[in-house]
Structures are given as structure tokens and as C-alpha cells.
């Protein structure tokens, strides 16, 4: 990563997103932009004054964070519509990642709900990291939702290319519809073998070409197949692994496939079990 954009609504909760973005920028040698969007409906005089005051405050805040001296950081307060302006600024500044802090309530969390959430994740080209917890250090244990899809490949590729000195557990979740009518344990065993093959396909396609880089970055990668509904499986795996990061992919499609995959990301975004990275696939 070369450029990270951290969006903040100036609430206390959003500070965890700034802190995580700063840590990532330090470890990756990336530039950091901390962005606040001011309501464009305000009068021009009010907007100018608020932008100036916010930038002064953000500059002082970022400079006081641990590790700030090692990061090239810019602060910006600009008028606009929240979601659209974040995406526009990220594109204009050629950012590689958008980071925000998780909120129990507030306008920034609303960016991820319903239509607004779809606009931020799918309307832009960038991965979005939701920082639920204030960082104690770099990520050490991550769980990845691994499915035989382009979205899953994109999520795995992004995570593998920047995680370092960490363990990544790739988890493939599956269900057996009408399991009670499909031949008992034999059918269940066959289904599990099929899904193990599906996970192996993802590993061969995404992990194997990166073996040298993975070793250099001191990553360990494992795979697991778990039976159950996707969101439930991922939450349980985060707890089992004591993970500090969950990575999922979502499609840039419309229609039923988009709605089903989008519901996984949206469910997790409403109540993330840990920090959550959502990566949009190509389609």
C-alpha cells in the first residue's frame, strides 16, 4: 500500500480508525490522509471557518499519536456529501485503502447501513477497513472468509499482500440444504469433501503463487472447512482464533448474487466481532 485514507466524523469512536490507519501507514511506509467531510448545505462562510478549525484540530491530534513522526500525514476538511465525497477524495488522491472507526451510533456508521453501505463498499473501487478496536499493535491473527469466487480471491490477495508477521486462517463455510433427506452421514461426508476441494482450489489459486512473498513477510496460512451459515461460522472462528481482523469479499454485481454476498458483509458491518476488512471483487 502506498496511500491510506482515514475518514473521521470527529467522534471519539472514529479515533480508533485514525490510530489504525496511522499504524498501517507506518508499517507499510505509506502516506496517510485524514479526511473530514463538512456538510455542504452550510453557508460558505461557515464551511470555510469550520474546515479551517477542523484541520487545525486534526493536525494536532495526528501529531500527538504514537508513531506519527514516522508517517507522512496530511489532514483535510472538505465540504460535500459524506459517502460521495469520501469516495471522490479517495479516488482523486489515489488511495489504496479507506479506514474508518466503528460506531455504535452516529453518521459514519450509517455509511455502512442499507443503501449507504452499498455505496461506500461497492460504489468505490477500494477495500474498506472498519476499525472496531483501538490498536494495540499490528494485526497478529486474521480470519478470512474463503469462497470459490472472484470476491474471495480479491480479499485473500489484498490481505496476503500486506499482512506481515501474522497468522491467517482461511475459512470456507458451507451448508447442506435438506440434510435430513439426503442419505445421512455418507452424503454429509461427500459434501464436506467437495467443500474441502473448493478451499484447496482457492489456496492453489491465491496462496501458492505468493509462497515466497508470504515467507518473506513471515506469514503463516492455514485453511479450515466449517459447516454452518457463513456469518455464524466466521464469528465463531474469530472467537476460536482470538483474531483481531476478519476479512471478507463482496461482489460488485447487481441482482440476487450481489444481494446474497452483500448481506454477509452488511451483517458483519452492523456488529463486527473485531476489525473488519471488506474487499470488493471485480464482478
Amino acid at each position: 500500500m502506498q496511500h491510506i485514507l482515514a475518514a473521521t466524523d470527529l467522534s471519539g469512536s472514529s479515533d480508533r480508525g485514525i490510530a489504525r490507519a496511522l499504524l498501517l501507514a507506518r508499517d507499510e511506509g505509506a502516506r496517510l490522509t485524514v479526511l473530514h467531510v463538512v456538510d455542504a448545505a452550510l453557508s460558505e462562510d461557515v464551511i470555510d471557518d469550520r474546515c479551517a478549525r477542523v484541520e487545525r484540530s486534526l493536525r494536532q491530534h495526528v501529531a500527538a499519536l504514537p508513531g506519527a513522526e514516522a508517517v507522512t500525514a496530511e489532514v483535510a476538511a472538505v465540504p460535500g456529501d459524506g459517502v460521495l465525497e469520501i469516495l471522490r477524495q479517495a479516488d482523486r488522491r489515489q488511495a489504496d485503502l479507506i479506514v474508518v472507526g466503528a460506531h455504535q451510533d452516529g453518521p459514519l456508521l450509517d455509511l455502512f447501513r442499507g443503501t449507504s453501505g452499498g455505496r461506500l463498499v461497492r460504489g468505490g473501487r477500494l477495500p474498506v477497513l472498519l476499525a472496531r478496536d483501538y490498536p494495540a499493535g499490528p494485526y497478529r491473527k486474521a480470519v478470512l472468509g474463503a469462497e470459490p469466487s472472484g470476491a474471495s480471491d480479491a480479499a485473500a490477495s489484498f490481505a496476503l499482500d500486506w499482512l506481515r508477521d501474522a497468522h491467517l486462517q482461511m475459512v470456507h463455510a458451507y451448508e447442506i440444504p435438506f440434510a435430513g433427506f439426503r442419505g445421512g452421514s455418507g452424503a454429509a461426508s461427500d459434501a464436506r469433501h467437495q467443500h474441502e476441494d473448493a478451499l484447496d482450489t482457492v489456496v492453489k489459486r491465491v496462496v501458492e503463487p505468493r509462497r515466497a512473498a508470504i515467507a518473506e513477510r513471515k506469514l503463516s496460512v492455514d485453511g479450515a472447512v466449517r459447516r454452518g451459515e457463513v456469518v455464524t461460522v466466521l464469528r465463531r472462528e474469530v472467537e476460536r482464533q482470538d483474531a483481531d481482523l476478519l476479512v471478507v469479499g463482496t461482489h460488485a454485481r447487481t441482482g440476487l448474487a450481489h444481494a446474497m454476498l452483500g448481506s454477509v458483509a452488511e451483517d458483519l458491518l452492523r456488529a463486527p466481532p473485531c476489525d473488519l476488512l471488506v474487499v470488493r471483487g471485480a464482478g
Side-chain angles (χ1 to χ4, degrees):
M1 286 186 288
Q2 296 182 340
H3 192 181
I4 298 168
L5 186 146
T8 175
D9 63 2
L10 306 180
S11 68
S13 297
S14 70
D15 181 50
R16 62 196 71 170
I18 298 175
R20 174 58 70 182
L22 182 70
L23 185 60
L24 289 172
R26 184 198 69 184
D27 292 345
E28 288 297 302
R31 292 182 295 120
L32 172 65
T33 295
V34 179
L35 174 72
H36 175 70
V37 179
V38 175
D39 187 357
L42 298 171
S43 68
E44 185 174 343
D45 289 345
V46 171
I47 288 175
D48 290 344
D49 177 67
R50 184 163 299 182
C51 285
R53 288 190 293 111
V54 166
E55 287 185 356
R56 284 196 299 270
S57 179
L58 283 176
R59 196 171 291 112
Q60 294 171 356
H61 177 76
V62 172
L65 291 174
E69 68 282 354
V71 176
T72 300
E74 175 193 2
V75 301
V78 298
D81 173 86
V83 176
L84 294 177
E85 192 59 32
I86 290 172
L87 293 174
R88 193 182 76 83
Q89 291 288 330
D91 186 61
R92 185 175 74 82
R93 296 166 184 272
Q94 297 182 312
D96 302 296
L97 174 71
I98 296 173
V99 183
V100 294
H103 297 255
Q104 293 181 345
D105 293 295
L108 204 52
L109 180 59
D110 288 339
L111 298 178
F112 294 99
R113 287 177 172 158
T115 303
S116 295
R119 288 167 62 200
L120 187 59
V121 175
R122 298 184 294 268
R125 59 182 177 82
L126 298 180
V128 175
L129 174 62
L130 183 69
R132 193 198 74 161
D133 301 313
Y134 199 91
Y139 292 119
R140 291 291 176 246
K141 295 183 180 180
V143 170
L144 174 101
E147 307 298 328
S149 70
S152 177
D153 284 8
S157 298
F158 190 85
L160 289 167
D161 288 344
W162 65 268
L163 284 172
R164 65 177 73 233
D165 195 19
H167 175 72
L168 177 65
Q169 181 82 349
M170 301 179 67
V171 180
H172 176 67
Y174 73 98
E175 296 182 87
I176 305 177
F178 310 111
F181 301 93
R182 299 184 61 184
S185 61
S189 178
D190 289 344
R192 182 174 182 84
H193 287 316
Q194 291 175 5
H195 289 282
E196 288 172 345
D197 290 343
L199 178 59
D200 286 342
T201 298
V202 176
V203 170
K204 290 176 182 177
R205 192 167 57 226
V206 180
V207 178
E208 292 301 332
R210 292 176 167 81
R211 282 297 181 189
I214 287 171
E216 184 178 347
R217 296 175 75 88
K218 298 181 180 179
L219 278 175
S220 62
V221 183
D222 287 328
V225 173
R226 309 287 189 210
R227 182 175 171 181
E229 187 270 331
V230 175
V231 172
T232 301
V233 166
L234 292 177
R235 290 185 183 280
R236 287 176 178 170
E237 197 65 24
V238 166
E239 184 176 2
R240 181 183 287 114
Q241 298 289 331
D242 191 25
D244 47 12
L245 177 66
L246 174 60
V247 184
V248 296
T250 188
H251 276 299
R253 295 175 177 171
T254 57
L256 182 58
H258 162 81
M260 293 174 65
L261 289 170
S263 69
V264 172
E266 287 176 7
D267 191 314
L268 292 167
L269 283 161
R270 279 193 292 270
C274 59
D275 284 15
L276 177 65
L277 173 67
V278 181
V279 181
R280 196 189 77 167

